Amino acid sequence: LWTMLPPLILGDAMTIDTSVAGNVAKQCLYLAGPGVVLCAVPTALLLQLLLGWDFLLCLTCGAIWSATDPVAVVGLLKELGA
């Protein structure tokens, strides 16, 4: 994962149209931010219930697992013409 993902993201970042990306950045944050929070909190509560871990550790794991896929985001931006 660590050897393949960074070159993919870098290659797409080099070809992205920054004006289009700037126009849709606020929309992406508006949609992705609350989505990660809405998925991370129930995941954290479930992990705490099942494993008995500290809540902050569970929340960290939930946020990592709930984050959007960067390759999918780049693919969506390409579809939008960025």
Side-chain angles (χ1 to χ4, degrees):
L1 179 67
W2 291 108
T3 58
M4 295 187 67
L5 191 59
L8 287 172
I9 295 173
L10 178 68
D12 288 331
M14 299 288 282
T15 61
I16 201 165
D17 183 5
T18 55
S19 63
V20 174
N23 290 339
V24 298
K26 196 181 292 188
Q27 296 168 358
C28 290
L29 290 176
Y30 176 71
L31 294 172
V36 170
V37 172
L38 288 174
C39 291
V41 171
T43 303
L45 292 172
L46 184 66
L47 283 173
Q48 188 177 29
L49 179 71
L50 294 177
L51 301 176
W53 292 351
D54 181 50
F55 182 71
L56 288 178
L57 176 62
C58 295
L59 192 59
T60 302
C61 290
I64 291 170
W65 292 338
S66 301
T68 56
D69 180 19
V71 176
V73 170
V74 169
L76 183 61
L77 285 172
K78 279 187 178 180
E79 256 183 55
L80 293 172

